[in-house]
Amino acid sequence: MAAAPVWSVDPRTGKQREQVAVEATAQEVDTVVRAAHDARASLADRTVRAAFLRSAADRLQTAKDTLVEVADAETALGPVRLTGELARTCYQLRAFADIVDEGAFLDVVINHPDGAATPPIPDLRRYKVPLGVVAVYSASNFPFAFSVVGGDTASALAAGNPVVVKSHPDHPALSELVAKVVRTAAAEHGIPESVLGLVHGFEAGVELIKHPLVAAAGFTGSIRGGRALFDAAAARPVPIPFHGELGSLNPVVVTEAAAVERAEDIGAGLAGSMTMGVGQFCVKPGLVLVPSGAAGDGLVKSLTDAVSDTDAGVLLDHRMRDNFIAGVAERAELADVESPVTPGAGGEHTVSAGFLTVPAARLAAEGAHDLLLEECFGPVTVVARYEDEGEVRAVLSRLPGNLTATVQLSEGEAAGEGRGVEILAELTPLAGRVLVNGWPTGVAVAPAQHHGGPYPATTSTSTSVGGTAIERWLRPVAYQNTPAALLPVELRDENELGLPRRFNGRLER
């Protein structure tokens, strides 16, 4: 049986652009994984590793025009958005290179023997080592930042692990181009091109998670697909860590005082956030708790005006378009659900933005309206109108885990008056990032960033954005009573590499 072709498709027309590759067989996946496994030693030198990451960023930036053109042809996300995303990707690679150079991620701890302690302490030296080959499953909605050389790949390479990427079918041509650029950068530093493998096809993704030489996996995508891979990772004879980002509703609470104070601004800000990127951001606000009454009515009017002015847009593929149209139609048919601006088909290949409203009481108890508590991928949000604080608490208590949770407060509440502190305490268990008087779309690449959250937002407690994302691909190892001549250079007393470390209980820099 001939291998299935992999086509690049234009989402603006639904037409095939070019055949990029063929779907990988199980044997081909095995070959790619084994080649990546054999390349592990080439990443051992931190100086070489950091230089490789910087070269990859430089080469991606040099190829910007070609990469953005192909990305736009496959995703319809637009040159402006894609140019910014590529810049973010290059910045992230350079940031991880800086982290590799600094060395704090190795978490070096040294204890000299202490016979007077109870129990006695032997000579112990601990640091972190790479796990091995990392499987990365690309996302549809970020063809650069969460794809072939996105945060999962960049952090895994920074930690010293080879990577095999399962490309996303929505941008296979771009995936091949990006992989080629990164492999060229690797070759500059004597690193085998196999340090970054790339495979296409659904079955290839299944084979990848089962491969005995794959030591960990990173995933960004749907709850259904991510949970299937998570279960497969756990069912292996030797289970492996699976760091998956699966889905998020990203609730927003608007207090009555905030609505009274700035209803128009909040409505306009919500419209901009929920329609950004045609509603295809993982942190799109999908449920907004708004007070009943005049102040809430003003917010809904502002939201109506702003969303009505939003042009129809193209989703990443026609399957997503069909799912969006069906999903909003099913939700709109529920009792007491209204559509001030009806979302749905905007044309043969486009969708129109909109939002639904529902009494919050409908969401406070289990029933058919639970559908409104599930993510709907695309430019739609649900506005739940609440009568009192008890309804807010009741709805929040029913929500699954999220990447973000947001509260819009009045000036006085932000200064500590009213329920501001209490609402933050209610939101904190629900999400990995809590925002005040802002909007969740836009995830800064920064040391303090956390992009994760309770299940199903993610399958682990780690972040996929920011410097600490590197921790996912490392494991600690301690050496006991090991002669200095046999120790890794990072664990010797002399600290020839100038690493940050904790030495006999004292933090050194």
Side-chain angles (χ1 to χ4, degrees), residues 233-250:
R236 290 166 41 124
V238 178
I240 59 171
F242 182 87
H243 301 284
E245 179 189 322
L246 310 188
S248 184
L249 197 60
N250 305 301

Side-chain angles (χ1 to χ4, degrees), residues 189-215:
H189 301 281
I191 298 172
E193 293 185 356
S194 57
V195 77
L196 179 63
L198 181 68
V199 296
H200 300 272
F202 177 83
E203 291 300 328
V206 175
E207 293 296 329
L208 189 57
I209 199 67
K210 297 191 299 184
H211 198 286
L213 293 181
V214 168

Side-chain angles (χ1 to χ4, degrees), residues 39-64:
R40 289 172 301 155
S42 67
L43 294 174
D45 188 313
R46 286 191 302 117
T47 302
V48 172
R49 210 153 77 219
F52 161 42
L53 294 173
R54 292 190 178 99
S55 292
D58 292 344
R59 284 188 168 272
L60 288 168
Q61 198 63 46
T62 299
K64 175 186 68 175

Side-chain angles (χ1 to χ4, degrees), residues 9-14 72-76 314-318 349:
V9 177
D10 183 348
R12 293 181 175 95
T13 65
D72 183 48
E74 290 191 309
T75 68
V314 178
L315 294 183
L316 291 160
D317 62 42
H318 280 60
H349 304 290

